[in-house]
């Protein structure tokens, strides 16, 4: 059994994906071929945003946002401490100081109240310039954008939505990828919409940001690649990956339904059992179920039981950003993240993908509540 069964998905989509890849091999436009443009149009339609700009991976997508917003040394950028490293890494790579924020214990997402406190503390301290907030749609559930957008506006901060895990999620039908001034996603194979290698994209309604991004991802190009008007990077999505994604995006709405059915089946079978807390989707919100993440004081015991019968489970994430070696010098490890620290000690994720068999599901449930 796999946490995310990519082979099962491929066996369903094989004919179509193989044909798409063959088309690229036939036309030979491996870099910025027609599939890239086609995918960008389809992504912007699906998400409901004016511009989708693809790039090499989800980390570059965040880095490109930092470049667009001119985030640099002396700036403060706020992000959740309970997240994947790239969220904070790209703030540091830009030269800015990441200011970590506590989690909400129900949604696992950034806590708006704590965010506001930390913004006020940075302002009072006067050493850094508050510039932006990077929110994360952790495990597929959009963050609390009603409150987060109001805070961004109040303090005149840019909002970057890291939807690497959130692609496909929504709030009242408005899709993840539309909630920030800029939003990013990742097409890493295990993400809700994944390719067969690395890939990423940035979403924005802002025309200026979009044209800047199209330059930055190709060596700061002007009229062409050999007319260089700014310092950029080399971060394009391969045409073959775009071809794979076109077929996967077509299958995505059906897969999202299957993920939701699986989440409901888990909820029914596991809710309230064996000292387990199941993930709650807030009313009006939709999750893309990038992970199905449980909380339990008996985590280690349950994970051992699963392992004994050949069922994989994982801890995302055992180490918060404020606890990472690389960020020790920031001295933010001062006991003010009790919720995030508790989560890192009690969360674990079960297999979650759209091609789960009834048999495997029953096996997982039985071993989890044993
Ligand atoms: C996966 C992930 C990224 C980085 O994406 P890559 O494509 O692996 O570079 C960034 N943020 C979050 C929250 C992620 O889960």
């Amino acid at each position: 059994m796999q946490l995310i069964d990519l082979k099962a998905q491929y066996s369903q989509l094989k004919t179509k994906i193989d044909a798409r890849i063959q088309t690229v091999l036939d036309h030979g436009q491996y870099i910025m071929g027609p599939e890239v443009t086609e995918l960008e149009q389809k992504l912007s339609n699906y998400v409901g945003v004016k511009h989708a700009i693809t790039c090499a991976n989800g980390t570059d997508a965040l880095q490109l946002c930092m470049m667009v917003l001119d985030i640099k040394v002396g700036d403060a950028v706020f992000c959740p401490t309970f997240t994947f490293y790239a969220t904070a890494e790209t703030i540091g790579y830009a030269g800015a100081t990441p200011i970590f924020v506590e989690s909400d214990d129900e949604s696992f997402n950034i806590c708006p109240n704590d965010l506001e406190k930390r913004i006020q503390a940075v302002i009072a301290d006067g050493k850094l310039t508050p510039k932006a907030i990077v929110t994360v749609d952790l495990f597929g559930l959009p963050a609390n954008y009603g409150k987060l957008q109001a805070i961004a506006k109040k303090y005149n901060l840019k909002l970057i939505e890291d939807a690497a895990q959130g692609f496909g999620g929504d709030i009242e039908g408005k899709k993840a990828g539309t909630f920030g001034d800029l939003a990013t996603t990742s097409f890493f194979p295990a993400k809700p919409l994944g390719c067969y290698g690395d890939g990423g994209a940035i979403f924005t309604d802002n025309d200026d940001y979009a044209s800047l991004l199209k330059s930055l991802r190709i060596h700061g190009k002007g009229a062409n690649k050999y007319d260089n008007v700014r310092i950029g990077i080399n971060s394009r999505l391969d045409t073959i990956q775009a071809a794979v994604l076109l077929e996967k995006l077509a299958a995505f709405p059906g897969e999202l339904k299957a993920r939701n059915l699986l989440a409901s089946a888990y909820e029914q079978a596991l809710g309230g059992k064996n000292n387990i807390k199941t993930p709650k989707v807030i009313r009006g919100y939709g999750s893309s179920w990038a992970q199905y993440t449980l909380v339990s004081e008996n985590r280690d015991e349950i994970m051992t039981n699963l392992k004994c019968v050949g069922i994989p489970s994982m801890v995302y994430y055992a180490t918060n950003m404020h606890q990472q070696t690389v960020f020790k010098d920031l001295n933010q490890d001062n006991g003010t993240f009790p919720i995030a620290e508790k989560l890192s000690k009690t969360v674990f994720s079960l297999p979650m993908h759209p091609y789960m068999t009834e048999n495997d599901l029953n096996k997982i449930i039985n071993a989890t509540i044993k």
Side-chain angles (χ1 to χ4, degrees):
M1 207 187 294
Q2 310 258 303
L3 259 191
I4 294 163
D5 196 338
L6 296 173
K7 282 187 188 159
Q9 183 194 44
Y10 178 59
S11 74
Q12 294 283 319
L13 305 177
K14 179 175 171 28
T15 317
K16 289 175 175 168
I17 290 177
D18 289 2
R20 277 282 191 179
I21 293 174
Q22 188 60 51
T23 305
V24 178
L25 296 174
D26 289 339
H27 69 53
Q29 296 178 58
Y30 302 116
I31 302 293
M32 299 306 282
E35 284 79 3
V36 175
T37 317
E38 186 185 346
L39 177 69
E40 289 180 338
Q41 276 161 4
K42 289 189 168 154
L43 285 170
S44 71
N45 282 348
Y46 178 83
V47 171
V49 76
K50 206 163 164 195
H51 305 280
I53 297 103
T54 54
C55 62
N57 56 69
T59 307
D60 279 6
L62 287 166
Q63 189 190 328
L64 285 160
C65 291
M66 300 292 154
M67 294 170 85
V68 164
L69 298 176
D70 193 27
I71 285 165
K72 53 186 183 294
V73 178
D75 292 340
V77 179
F78 302 83
C79 76
T81 188
F82 187 60
T83 183
F84 178 64
Y85 176 51
T87 312
E89 179 184 30
T90 46
I91 297 168
Y93 189 77
T97 303
I99 305 291
F100 302 121
V101 180
E102 176 67 301
S103 308
D104 173 80
D105 66 345
E106 289 295 320
S107 67
F108 310 139
N109 278 324
I110 189 167
C111 170
N113 293 342
D114 189 69
L115 169 65
E116 186 157 16
K117 276 189 212 145
R118 289 182 202 256
I119 294 170
Q120 287 169 350
V122 169
I123 293 170
D125 192 41
K127 293 198 188 83
L128 298 169
T129 310
K131 270 280 178 71
I133 308 162
V134 185
T135 58
V136 179
D137 302 334
L138 202 67
F139 307 144
L141 184 71
N144 185 343
Y145 288 106
K147 288 190 179 162
L148 295 167
Q149 287 169 339
I151 292 169
K153 200 168 169 202
K154 180 171 171 189
Y155 294 95
N156 196 23
L157 302 175
K158 295 293 180 200
L159 185 63
I160 301 170
E161 178 190 1
D162 179 351
Q165 302 176 19
F167 186 90
D170 73 283
I171 303 176
E172 309 285 359
K174 191 169 157 51
K175 290 244 166 54
T178 61
F179 297 114
D181 296 284
L182 292 147
T184 63
T185 200
S186 163
F187 303 126
F188 181 85
K191 306 284 171 158
L193 179 65
C195 58
Y196 290 158
D198 280 306
I202 302 148
F203 307 114
T204 185
D205 280 326
N206 185 309
D207 296 340
D208 295 336
Y209 291 168
S211 61
L212 198 48
L213 285 164
K214 284 178 185 170
S215 165
L216 287 169
R217 72 172 164 178
I218 305 182
H219 303 292
K221 80 180 181 76
N224 63 64
K225 185 176 158 185
Y226 302 100
D227 171 33
N228 308 101
V229 298
R230 57 178 62 84
I231 301 296
I233 58 175
N234 175 14
S235 184
R236 299 167 297 224
L237 180 71
D238 292 350
T239 310
I240 288 181
Q241 298 303 341
V244 171
L245 284 165
L246 279 165
E247 289 308 327
K248 291 231 203 172
L249 182 60
F252 188 77
E255 292 189 347
L256 195 54
K257 279 190 195 134
R259 285 172 183 274
N260 274 294
L261 286 175
L262 178 55
S264 308
Y266 273 145
E267 167 62 33
Q268 263 198 321
L270 304 176
K273 305 257 174 65
N274 201 9
N275 207 1
I276 285 168
K277 197 171 135 200
T278 47
K280 293 286 173 290
V281 174
I282 304 150
R283 184 185 285 276
Y285 282 55
S287 178
S288 62
W289 299 109
Q291 300 293 341
Y292 190 81
T293 304
L294 301 172
V295 179
S296 178
E297 302 283 341
N298 307 345
R299 171 177 84 185
D300 296 349
E301 186 194 325
I302 299 172
M303 287 179 76
T304 306
N305 290 344
L306 289 165
K307 201 174 169 195
C308 283
V309 289
I311 299 167
S313 63
M314 281 289 287
V315 174
Y316 302 113
Y317 296 93
T319 310
N320 285 284
M321 290 306 113
H322 70 273
Q323 299 166 314
Q324 292 284 359
T325 308
V326 58
F327 295 129
K328 280 281 186 253
D329 290 350
L330 295 177
N331 293 320
Q332 293 182 42
D333 189 7
N334 48 9
T336 61
F337 302 94
I339 295 169
E341 288 183 13
K342 181 120 192 263
L343 287 175
S344 67
K345 292 193 184 100
T346 51
V347 290
F348 67 109
S349 302
L350 293 179
M352 164 52 79
H353 63 83
Y355 301 92
M356 174 87 68
T357 62
E358 193 78 33
N359 198 23
D360 280 354
L361 173 61
N362 289 332
K363 217 171 133 183
I364 296 165
I365 290 167
N366 291 337
T368 307
I369 58 179
K370 190 174 131 177

